Amino acid sequence: MARTRTLRGGRAAHYSPARLATEGRKRREWAIYDHRNEVLQRLGFPSYKAYLDSGTWRVIRMRVLRRDHFHCCFCTDAAADLVHHGAYDEETLRGRSLRHLYSACTDCHKALEEDGAGGKRPPSEVARVTRIAARDEAKRRERADLR
């Protein structure tokens, strides 16, 4: 049974239950950024941009780049100049845990974050690609440690 919602301007839109369920999933998926912003506000940052511009982030970023020897964790042959957040939990945002932070070159970070049309990739897709790359990076580090 279709449901009706009133849009801005008073227009009515009809949605099927399947479309409503899909919209609910999308809202939940993007809620990770709402959670991130709540954590950042508890830490005293008014926005993600303010966090990325802070001395706190500069120190964390440099620790991650040094840990990874300034190499991209995703393509492994380019020099890294960015750090990708694989998670937005408080321990990661404070820099207490670097486990979910990955050095990235500009091209790889763009490929992770953007879909082919220049829009932002859904968080679940970013997480999937990040997990694969993180697993590969862990294997590479393990091989390096054995030498």
Side-chain angles (χ1 to χ4, degrees):
M1 176 171 179
R3 298 183 189 219
T4 303
R5 284 191 184 166
T6 304
L7 302 175
R8 276 187 247 156
R11 293 189 343 256
H14 303 283
Y15 295 101
S16 69
R19 182 167 178 185
L20 289 172
T22 300
E23 286 182 359
R25 278 193 304 277
K26 286 180 184 176
R27 270 195 305 279
R28 283 191 304 276
E29 180 167 1
W30 292 93
I32 188 170
Y33 298 116
D34 294 333
H35 171 72
R36 174 199 68 196
N37 294 339
E38 289 169 10
V39 171
L40 288 173
Q41 286 182 350
R42 280 198 313 268
L43 297 176
F45 298 100
S47 66
Y48 187 55
K49 180 173 179 359
Y51 171 73
L52 293 177
D53 291 339
S54 73
T56 300
W57 174 244
R58 280 192 293 278
V59 169
I60 294 167
R61 179 180 169 275
M62 193 53 62
R63 287 174 54 207
V64 174
L65 290 169
R66 284 186 185 131
R67 176 199 68 193
D68 297 335
H69 307 287
F70 291 86
H71 282 80
C72 179
C73 291
F74 302 100
C75 67
T76 68
D77 59 348
D81 54 349
L82 301 170
V83 174
H84 173 69
H85 279 89
Y88 294 109
D89 58 279
E90 188 168 339
E91 294 298 303
T92 299
L93 292 170
R94 283 184 182 272
R96 291 181 181 160
S97 171
L98 304 181
R99 194 175 113 194
H100 299 294
L101 296 171
Y102 309 96
S103 297
C105 66
T106 303
D107 291 341
C108 287
H109 195 256
K110 185 176 180 178
L112 272 173
E113 293 287 339
E114 294 181 9
D115 62 14
K120 188 148 178 67
R121 195 183 288 272
S124 62
E125 179 65 16
V126 174
R128 185 183 69 75
V129 173
T130 302
R131 277 193 306 275
I132 292 167
R135 184 188 63 223
D136 294 346
E137 174 63 9
K139 288 178 185 175
R140 188 180 67 76
R141 281 190 195 149
E142 188 176 292
R143 283 193 304 269
D145 288 344
L146 294 175
R147 291 181 196 160

